[in-house]
Amino acid sequence: MFGLLNINKPSGVTSRDVVNRVQRMVRGVKVGHAGTLDPLATGVLVVALGPATRLVEYVQRMPKTYLGTFWLGRTSDTEDIDGQVVELDGPPQPTAGEIEAVLPRFLGTINQLPPAFSALKVRGRRAYDLARRGVAVELQPRPIEIHRLTLVRYEYPELQLEVCCGSGTYVRSLGRDLAQALGTAAVMSALVRTAVGDFRIEEACLLDDLETGTFERHLLPPARAVAQLPAVQLADDEIGRIANGLPVANRWDTDAVEIAAFDAQNRLLALLAPRGHGQLGPLRNFPVARSNNPATHGERRY
């Protein structure tokens, strides 16, 4: 089994819970996910099966879009409503115009201090494990990329933002910092991941749907994971060389760092990289199932 699932993760379960449920349906097949969602969050969770787990990092590189809802004038140890929420005494109530005015400060590359309740590791332990035990967690600010930040709806105290961002962004911390810029505080009350690259929530399947005998119908081509890479079609003799770890001539004159290689049936065979002297060699080879399963196919882009 070689493909991807776009699952609309429900609230109240972890990303690992989703993987475990899928794993029970495909016993003996390796399963992984591309980008953790907190239990509170819902939306797009891309799950990889079989050799597609080796493509997870390419999905993780894709921009992510979220719809985050916040309550202003409140704090929380977890920065969301899953923690201990405390309402501030007489906090300011910013106008929509004041919120719009500070949004540009958070665009582009910015430094963000991750929340103490996060999956980041501190001295070999998950930060949230330490925080739950009352241990002070000291994390360092990290650069993140915010591509787009839009005010969707505002009626005090509720604020809703659409965020398009790069990997490693904590949306609840973005709400925290935005509120601080307005002289107040905020906790995240809801989060929906509406897209990861071109994996959109509109095409996502429900987790329960996978348990009603429709599993393979939801399996997507592994090529979707590398849609951002240039692609080439290999001739039969080149397929044999690549499968044996040997380079082929760069007859496409591509100077890309990574290239997706397909056969004439549009099946993802390998990821290639320059080898010098006008050649391309395999970074990763993938098995090709000789079947009509659509998950063995992908769209060519050459």
Side-chain angles (χ1 to χ4, degrees):
M1 193 169 286
F2 182 21
L4 306 163
L5 294 170
N6 178 1
I7 297 175
N8 187 345
K9 186 190 87 67
S11 182
V13 300
T14 68
S15 299
R16 186 69 235 178
D17 290 336
V18 174
V19 168
N20 289 344
R21 285 182 64 174
V22 173
Q23 185 78 74
R24 288 193 290 271
M25 293 180 240
V26 291
R27 295 189 185 277
V29 177
K30 189 174 182 181
V31 181
H33 71 78
T36 300
L37 282 174
D38 290 336
L40 173 69
T42 64
V44 174
L45 181 70
V46 180
V47 174
L49 289 87
T53 55
R54 299 166 64 199
L55 297 170
V56 160
E57 66 179 272
Y58 296 91
V59 180
Q60 290 173 328
R61 294 178 195 173
M62 296 176 178
K64 300 166 180 64
T65 305
Y66 297 90
L67 194 64
T69 306
F70 304 87
W71 291 344
L72 294 178
R74 293 155 176 79
T75 64
S76 165
D77 52 351
T78 61
E79 301 178 6
D80 60 26
I81 59 172
D82 280 346
Q84 290 190 320
V85 178
V86 177
E87 191 167 349
L88 301 183
D89 184 18
Q93 298 185 15
T95 66
E98 289 170 332
I99 295 171
E100 295 270 15
V102 301
L103 294 182
R105 300 187 198 176
F106 298 93
L107 293 174
T109 302
I110 62 173
N111 284 323
Q112 182 184 75
L113 179 66
F117 284 81
S118 66
L120 298 176
K121 287 194 174 182
V122 179
R123 299 185 298 276
R125 300 290 302 276
R126 297 291 184 186
Y128 58 69
D129 285 335
L130 298 173
R132 285 170 184 158
R133 291 167 49 201
V135 178
V137 177
E138 294 185 9
L139 298 171
Q140 297 301 313
R142 306 185 306 167
I144 61 169
E145 189 76 22
I146 305 296
H147 307 298
R148 187 176 69 254
L149 183 59
T150 307
L151 177 62
V152 175
R153 179 171 53 82
Y154 177 55
E155 185 176 350
Y156 190 85
E158 192 168 87
L159 164 72
Q160 193 170 70
L161 300 171
E162 183 181 57
V163 184
C164 181
C165 58
S167 182
T169 301
Y170 286 90
V171 178
R172 53 192 155 119
S173 298
L174 184 63
R176 172 203 68 197
D177 295 343
L178 175 66
Q180 287 177 355
L182 294 164
T184 184
V187 298
M188 190 176 73
S189 60
L191 183 67
V192 182
R193 185 153 68 193
T194 58
V196 177
D198 67 351
F199 296 92
R200 309 195 65 80
I201 196 168
E202 292 82 5
E203 69 168 5
C205 63
L206 298 178
L207 185 57
D208 286 344
D209 287 346
L210 296 176
E211 298 179 322
T212 58
T214 61
F215 185 89
E216 290 196 2
R217 179 165 62 85
H218 295 289
L219 205 58
L220 301 172
R224 291 277 297 270
V226 290
Q228 72 275 31
L229 299 182
V232 299
Q233 179 182 316
L234 298 177
D236 288 345
D237 62 323
E238 293 169 327
I239 291 173
R241 288 185 62 83
I242 292 297
N244 289 314
L246 300 174
V248 297
N250 184 4
R251 57 186 175 85
W252 306 274
D253 293 325
T254 177
D255 58 358
V257 176
E258 294 174 297
I259 306 100
F262 293 81
D263 65 9
Q265 287 73 46
N266 300 343
R267 294 175 292 204
L268 181 64
L269 300 178
L271 299 182
L272 310 179
R275 285 290 183 262
H277 306 292
Q279 293 184 316
L280 300 174
L283 280 173
R284 293 178 179 142
N285 278 318
F286 300 104
V288 175
R290 301 299 175 183
S291 75
N292 292 321
N293 187 330
T296 65
H297 300 268
E299 296 182 2
R300 294 203 305 259
R301 300 168 306 285
Y302 45 78

